[in-house]
Amino acid sequence: MLKRYGRLMIATSLVSLLPTIAGLILWNRLPEQVPIHFDFEGNPDNYGSRAFAVFFIPLFLLAMQWLCLLITRTDPKRRNVSPKVMTLVLWICPLISVLVGVIMYASALGAQLALGRIMPVLFGLLFVAIGNYLPKCKQNYTVGIKLPWTLNDEENWNRTHRFAGYVWTIGGIVLAITGLAGMSNSAFLMILLLGMVLSAGVYSYVLYRKKCG
């Protein structure tokens, strides 16, 4: 798998480190304490050192990206993880790294960001992308909705992922629209995410019970 996705890993690893490069360029303009966490309205609520923001956060996300690849590589059913799904998995951490870097540096330099609108839209687009790829996930132990009933029954796995694909796509669209309208908040995001996850689990269990009679 490392050989198969070698070029993609190099490209995405470089993208993960772009905030470090940008941070070095901006080093003398960045304050000693940089905002590293924000509430849902976009207000900084935690700070870290300049070195922590520039080096640790991108390197941590890079490590998470490689960990995802290594975990998938040890999956006994890794051949069932399609290239499209694996591509999505490998791009998540790099894109988060770039997004976090932009938000941290912009805030540190005094820019006013409408994160209360931006973040729901971005999360919504991510959910739409995941929802689009969920039906393409074949049965494996690493990527997808890994429940006892889905792992034990390939039909249950396929039907659950098709159902979840619709639910996550619709949920992502709803989140993006409410974000653009300024109607989203942290409670709404948590309720929506919990509903998407639980609905797939309940659907999978109902299928299991029907099949067991």
Side-chain angles (χ1 to χ4, degrees):
M1 183 169 286
L2 286 172
K3 182 179 180 180
R4 183 176 186 180
Y5 296 102
R7 291 183 179 180
L8 179 61
M9 282 302 299
I10 292 173
T12 52
S13 295
L14 291 175
V15 172
S16 293
L17 294 175
L18 285 178
T20 296
I21 298 172
L24 291 174
I25 295 173
L26 297 170
W27 186 267
N28 292 329
R29 296 178 57 191
L30 293 174
E32 288 296 329
Q33 292 294 309
V34 176
I36 59 173
H37 192 272
F38 303 79
D39 61 25
F40 202 80
E41 284 70 38
N43 302 310
D45 57 11
N46 195 13
Y47 291 79
S49 69
R50 180 168 51 184
F52 181 88
V54 172
F55 296 108
F56 179 81
I57 293 179
L59 288 173
F60 173 78
L61 289 168
L62 176 63
M64 291 299 98
Q65 178 195 10
W66 276 90
L67 180 62
C68 288
L69 178 67
L70 293 176
I71 291 175
T72 306
R73 186 171 180 266
T74 60
D75 190 331
K77 295 188 176 183
R78 58 185 177 274
R79 295 184 182 276
N80 285 347
V81 181
S82 73
K84 289 184 178 181
V85 172
M86 196 63 201
T87 298
L88 176 64
V89 170
L90 293 181
W91 270 109
I92 290 177
C93 284
L95 292 178
I96 292 175
S97 179
V98 171
L99 176 63
V100 169
V102 169
I103 293 173
M104 288 192 307
Y105 299 156
S107 179
L109 296 174
Q112 297 296 319
L113 301 176
L115 295 183
R117 291 178 180 267
I118 295 173
M119 295 309 296
V121 173
L122 294 177
F123 274 117
L125 293 176
L126 176 61
F127 292 156
V128 169
I130 294 174
N132 182 63
Y133 280 100
L134 276 175
K136 300 178 176 67
C137 285
K138 295 182 180 180
Q139 200 176 39
N140 69 93
Y141 297 104
T142 307
V143 181
I145 302 169
K146 301 177 292 298
L147 298 170
W149 319 292
T150 57
L151 293 174
N152 190 53
D153 184 350
E154 187 172 357
E155 181 185 2
N156 189 304
W157 173 283
N158 292 334
R159 293 182 63 180
T160 297
H161 281 72
R162 283 196 297 270
F163 171 81
Y166 287 118
V167 171
W168 279 67
T169 299
I170 294 172
I173 293 173
V174 170
L175 182 59
I177 292 174
T178 55
L180 287 172
M183 299 168 58
S184 291
N185 54 45
S186 56
F188 177 76
L189 175 60
M190 292 304 298
I191 292 172
L192 182 64
L193 184 58
L194 189 62
M196 291 190 296
V197 173
L198 289 179
S199 62
V202 171
Y203 179 82
S204 176
Y205 181 72
V206 170
L207 290 179
Y208 162 74
R209 294 299 302 173
K210 284 184 177 180
K211 194 165 186 177
C212 289

